Amino acid sequence: MANNLVLEKKRMKSFDVAIIGSGPSGASAAFELAKSGISTVIIEKEILPRYKTCGGGLVFRGRKKMPFDVSSVVEREFYEVDTYFANTPLKFTTNRDQPIVSMIMRDAFDSLIVEKSKEKGVVLLQNHKVLNISFGDIQTIHTSEGDVQAKFIIAGDGALSPVSKMVGWEETRTIIPALEYEVEVSAADFERLSKNVRFDVDVIPLGYGWCFPKKNHLSIGVGAFVKSKQKIDLKKIYAEYLKILGINEIISEEAHGFVIPVSPRTDTFVKKNVFLIGDSAGFADPITAEGISNSILSGVLAAQSIAESKLDSARAAQLYQEKLENSLLPEIRTGVILAKFFYEKKSLRNLFLKKYGQVLANAMTDVFMGDRTYPKDYKASIRRKIKEIIF
């Protein structure tokens, strides 16, 4: 009887795939794997639901690809977006028939995906902090609550990604700082600011500020989306941004500093049967730093690669790279270069925007909607339009 209990315990701790991190990328990977009948465990260091620092703007390209309805965790939907450019009269508004941005709180959103995964048979191990990994044909993940074994590991453990360090990845992503506050304001200010999603480019050097209305509060933040050589005082800029928004009375506010990888790793995304997804891989949009939609997609691609390979390690790694090259990576690499032009060439950009700003705003919204990607021939297009403006 005792031997049977030991065997049962070992069986319950052994899986085909272990996913570290229960965010949108990891939970979506788990859901996709479970659909294929692959035994999967999610290893999460916290107890769900847990607060997660994030603007919480789910763009439509991410929402429409969700395999189930997420409306139960959507706090607000916005069909109109305003973009301002500091110290200029430039302002552009875009409208769509579908919600451009759906506002979520990550504790509820992440928990929903995890629960949907559990319904498919995924095991959730909460309060399990990963301490180390022993690599081999079968990986042994040493956690604060005991060992877990799996052939494959998917690392969805965020921008800091302790797992990538354990595996031996060098840091090749561009990682930038951001500061966000969950802010409760007066009823009058909330009514005024809760009508639209708002972006304010250049309120911070090489970046923008955002005001995202949630159910009964505002998520307000600032971030520099191209790495600056100078130290930026985010708190000071945030205080100045509140003045731009016309907020004078703060009822309550809670600050959260975080970092965002805005360029992908350059030295592969699979090592030792560990697959990097989401922020651990550097898949946030380089221009907007929106990361949820690409995180979800990368998790699905990693899961599909493992399933289609029939658990063959070499084939799974090859498939994942191919899928990334055919979808996410070309757009992100183009976005990295476009971001440098957008944020670093401010005078030239504003000259460009005076003539083509609404066209550009509509194109960016099309990216949010999933109706287009960043153009591969952007250099020729920008050069041609600049010549038209100057000459």
Side-chain angles (χ1 to χ4, degrees):
M1 184 67 175
N3 288 337
N4 288 338
L5 290 174
V6 170
L7 289 174
E8 178 67 11
K9 184 177 180 180
K10 287 184 178 180
R11 187 185 72 81
M12 291 298 291
K13 291 282 187 176
S14 181
F15 304 85
D16 294 323
V17 183
I19 298 171
I20 300 174
S22 65
S25 60
S28 296
F31 185 88
E32 188 71 20
L33 287 164
K35 283 165 48 180
S36 299
I38 295 173
S39 64
T40 305
V41 61
I42 297 174
I43 301 174
E44 168 58 47
K45 66 179 179 179
E46 307 287 348
I47 300 292
L48 300 182
R50 82 284 184 259
Y51 178 84
K52 184 72 174 179
T53 303
C54 178
L58 176 62
V59 296
F60 189 68
R61 70 176 175 184
R63 182 172 178 177
K64 71 180 181 180
K65 291 182 178 178
M66 294 298 296
F68 45 80
D69 182 24
V70 299
S71 59
S72 64
V73 295
V74 172
E75 299 206 346
R76 284 177 176 265
E77 295 177 333
F78 291 93
Y79 298 75
E80 185 172 291
V81 172
D82 293 329
T83 304
Y84 297 79
F85 290 79
N87 303 313
T88 78
L90 296 171
K91 176 199 172 185
F92 305 101
T93 299
T94 56
N95 300 272
R96 292 292 185 273
D97 293 332
Q98 300 285 352
I100 301 171
V101 184
S102 300
M103 291 301 164
I104 58 168
M105 293 299 290
R106 284 283 305 277
D107 53 354
F109 182 70
D110 295 5
S111 292
L112 174 65
I113 308 176
V114 170
E115 287 304 315
K116 293 293 184 180
S117 300
K118 288 169 63 179
E119 290 173 8
K120 294 286 185 181
V122 172
V123 174
L124 171 65
L125 298 179
Q126 304 182 73
N127 198 33
H128 280 59
K129 181 179 180 180
V130 175
L131 305 175
N132 206 347
I133 302 173
S134 297
F135 299 99
D137 292 335
I138 299 297
Q139 326 278 42
T140 300
I141 304 160
H142 308 289
T143 83
S144 56
E145 301 298 317
D147 292 349
V148 179
Q149 291 188 323
K151 181 173 184 179
F152 295 89
I153 295 173
I154 295 179
D157 56 338
L160 300 179
S161 188
V163 171
S164 69
K165 296 179 178 67
M166 295 176 192
V167 178
W169 263 284
E170 298 294 328
E171 187 53 80
T172 60
R173 302 167 297 170
T174 298
I175 300 178
I176 54 92
L179 179 65
E180 182 181 55
Y181 285 74
E182 305 290 357
V183 186
E184 186 181 355
V185 297
S186 68
D189 279 343
F190 185 75
E191 173 63 22
R192 177 173 56 83
L193 293 168
S194 64
K195 298 184 185 303
N196 289 338
V197 172
R198 173 170 175 158
F199 297 96
D200 287 85
V201 180
D202 296 337
V203 295
I204 180 172
L206 306 176
Y208 68 81
W210 65 89
C211 181
F212 286 180
K214 300 296 178 60
K215 186 175 182 179
N216 50 24
H217 75 281
L218 304 173
S219 290
I220 303 174
V222 291
F225 298 109
V226 177
K227 197 169 185 178
S228 175
K229 295 180 181 179
Q230 298 178 340
K231 187 175 181 179
I232 299 175
D233 189 339
L234 294 175
K235 287 186 177 180
K236 180 180 178 181
I237 292 171
Y238 165 76
E240 293 170 351
Y241 185 42
L242 291 182
K243 295 177 183 177
I244 292 173
L245 295 174
I247 297 174
N248 296 311
E249 180 186 357
I250 300 291
I251 296 174
S252 67
E253 62 180 355
E254 185 175 344
H256 302 277
F258 60 110
V259 296
I260 309 169
V262 290
S263 71
R265 293 184 185 270
T266 60
D267 59 344
T268 193
F269 302 98
V270 183
K271 286 184 181 181
K272 300 180 182 178
N273 248 16
V274 177
F275 291 63
L276 298 183
I277 59 175
D279 281 345
S280 70
F283 289 153
D285 185 297
I287 299 176
T288 66
E290 186 275 318
I292 298 176
S293 58
N294 283 350
S295 287
I296 291 170
L297 177 57
S298 66
V300 170
L301 294 179
Q304 289 175 344
S305 300
I306 292 170
E308 291 172 17
S309 76
K310 302 188 185 303
L311 304 184
D312 178 271
S313 300
R315 180 58 179 155
Q318 179 187 9
L319 282 170
Y320 187 44
Q321 186 65 37
E322 289 175 357
K323 290 177 184 293
L324 291 174
E325 292 288 355
N326 290 328
S327 56
L328 278 178
L329 288 177
E331 181 175 358
I332 294 175
R333 288 166 181 159
T334 299
V336 168
I337 300 172
L338 286 174
K340 290 184 179 294
F341 169 77
F342 189 80
Y343 293 113
E344 294 181 357
K345 308 295 184 182
K346 187 163 65 172
S347 297
L348 189 58
R349 179 205 67 202
N350 288 350
L351 186 66
F352 185 85
L353 289 174
K354 285 179 181 178
K355 186 168 184 179
Y356 298 106
Q358 192 60 53
V359 173
L360 179 63
N362 286 332
M364 193 71 227
T365 303
D366 287 342
V367 172
F368 281 174
M369 300 301 290
D371 294 334
R372 69 184 295 171
T373 61
Y374 294 131
K376 295 180 181 179
D377 60 344
Y378 63 92
K379 287 183 179 178
S381 177
I382 291 175
R383 194 180 298 118
R384 183 172 61 253
K385 285 181 168 55
I386 289 173
K387 284 183 178 179
E388 291 174 6
I389 295 169
I390 296 175
F391 300 109

